[in-house]
């Protein structure tokens, strides 16, 4: 009897594998791309521990310096400020990148005119597809202190011109708000999809119990979105030291290094402009280690307190 069970289970396993083989094969191109562009370049991390000279090759007769590159980078005058700016900007982007899409999705879900709802959804989603190269030029024109439409509106209302992209007081808020504006439409669609999976019987039961729309949102909708909210939070915490190189690089200038210089732009100048490849790689490795720790801790906390797991 036991042998028959094992034989039956083996046949079932082979049948399942044969049925799912095309799906597994579809993963192969993605796995190849990950191996080539994500894992193979990790061999270059050895540069962080070398006095790297490009002419000798990465695995040539390079001088090994241990943690000297890390000590050198941490002692540079601009590193501490760049790290602080990165954490502050990334924190607000993560926070508002969760709150704003959730709030917008909840509001949009209350609209029952499907045509208007789809139109709004499409409009707010479009900026997500535009690169910061394009948006950078647009915002440079819109926020210009002399000819920008925003400052023209401010002066028309009796205010004074604001140099949004050239004043350290306004540069960080400008970065954060423009990034939220660009990405909240995509996040809202993700949360709307989560709302659609909630059983409508729960709303009917809550309504019978006397719950108004606000209480239904608080006690039914938000708990029903909990898993996707936790997922997006866990994924975003892995980018806690990625404040958005594309955006900052296209909008910042030397005048706002104090508030706008982040680790990625710091590494860009250190490695590609000053050709200090070892210290630049050391910063990249430092970022990767910290990000790995954050995403691991956040995943553990999500599993412990929200019973959430990816696998």
């Amino acid at each position: 009897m036991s042998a028959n069970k094992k034989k039956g289970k083996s046949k079932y396993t082979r049948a399942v594998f044969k049925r799912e083989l095309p799906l597994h094969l579809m993963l192969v191109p993605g796995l190849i791309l990950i191996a080539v562009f994500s894992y193979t370049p990790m061999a270059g991390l050895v540069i962080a521990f070398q006095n790297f000279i490009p002419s000798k090759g990465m695995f040539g007769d390079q001088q090994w310096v241990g943690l000297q590159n890390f000590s050198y980078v941490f002692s540079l005058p601009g590193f501490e400020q760049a790290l602080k700016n990165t954490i502050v900007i990334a924190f607000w982007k993560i926070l508002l990148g969760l709150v704003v899409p959730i709030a917008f999705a909840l509001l949009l879900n209350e609209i029952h005119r499907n045509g208007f709802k789809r139109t709004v959804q499409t409009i707010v989603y479009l900026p997500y597809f535009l690169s910061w190269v394009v948006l950078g030029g647009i915002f440079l024109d819109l926020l210009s202190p002399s000819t920008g439409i925003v400052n023209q509106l401010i002066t028309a209302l009796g205010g004074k011109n604001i140099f949004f992209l050239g004043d350290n007081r306004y540069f960080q808020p400008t970065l954060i708000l423009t990034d939220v504006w660009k990405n909240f439409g995509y996040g809202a669609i993700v949360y709307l999809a989560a709302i659609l999976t909630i059983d409508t019987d729960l709303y009917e039961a809550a309504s019978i119990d006397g719950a108004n729309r606000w209480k239904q949102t608080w006690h039914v909708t938000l708990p029903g979105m909990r898993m996707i909210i936790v997922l997006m939070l866990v994924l975003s915490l892995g980018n806690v030291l990625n404040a958005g190189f594309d955006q900052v690089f296209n909008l910042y200038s030397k005048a706002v290094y104090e508030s706008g210089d982040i680790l990625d732009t710091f590494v860009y100048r250190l490695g590609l402009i000053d050709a200090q490849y070892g210290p630049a790689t050391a910063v990249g490795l430092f970022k990767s280690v910290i990000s790995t720790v954050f995403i691991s801790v956040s995943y553990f906390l999500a599993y412990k307190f929200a019973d959430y797991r990816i696998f």
Side-chain angles (χ1 to χ4, degrees), residues 109-247:
N109 186 57
E110 297 299 317
I111 299 175
H112 300 292
R113 295 177 59 184
N114 290 330
F116 178 75
K117 186 176 181 178
R118 285 195 296 268
T119 301
V120 172
Q121 195 172 332
T122 302
I123 291 174
V124 300
Y125 189 44
L126 285 177
Y128 179 78
F129 294 101
L130 299 178
S131 71
W132 276 112
V133 176
V134 175
L135 289 177
I138 294 174
F139 282 120
L140 284 173
D141 289 335
L142 290 177
L143 302 177
S144 171
S146 55
T147 60
I149 189 173
V150 175
N151 272 300
Q152 289 181 7
L153 181 61
I154 292 174
T155 54
L157 295 174
K160 295 182 179 179
N161 286 346
I162 298 175
F163 199 174
F164 290 98
L165 301 179
D167 191 327
N168 284 302
R169 294 175 298 173
Y170 302 104
F171 188 70
Q172 277 191 9
T174 302
L175 285 178
I176 296 165
L177 293 176
T178 53
D179 181 80
V180 172
W181 169 82
K182 180 180 187 295
N183 295 308
F184 86 95
Y186 170 76
I189 288 180
V190 173
Y191 295 120
L192 276 172
I195 292 173
L196 293 176
T197 63
I198 300 174
D199 189 354
T200 56
D201 291 341
L202 296 175
Y203 292 102
E204 294 178 4
S207 178
I208 292 173
D209 289 338
N212 56 25
R213 294 301 298 175
W214 165 248
K215 290 184 177 180
Q216 290 178 32
T217 299
W218 184 256
H219 295 288
V220 178
T221 308
L222 287 175
M225 298 168 61
R226 184 183 64 176
M227 288 303 178
I228 191 64
I229 293 174
V230 172
L231 173 62
M232 299 299 284
L233 178 61
V234 170
L235 294 177
S236 62
L237 285 178
N239 295 318
V240 70
L241 291 185
N242 293 326
F245 172 78
D246 291 348
Q247 180 193 20

Side-chain angles (χ1 to χ4, degrees), residues 250-297:
N250 283 285
L251 294 179
Y252 87 146
S253 61
K254 289 185 178 180
V256 290
Y257 275 4
E258 180 183 343
S259 62
D261 195 24
I262 59 174
L263 286 179
D264 288 335
T265 53
F266 183 83
V267 169
Y268 169 78
R269 297 196 306 275
L270 188 66
L272 295 182
I273 296 180
D274 297 339
Q276 300 186 56
Y277 302 109
T281 306
V283 178
L285 180 57
F286 168 76
K287 278 185 53 183
S288 299
V289 171
I290 298 299
S291 298
T292 302
V293 171
F294 266 96
I295 198 170
S296 300
V297 171

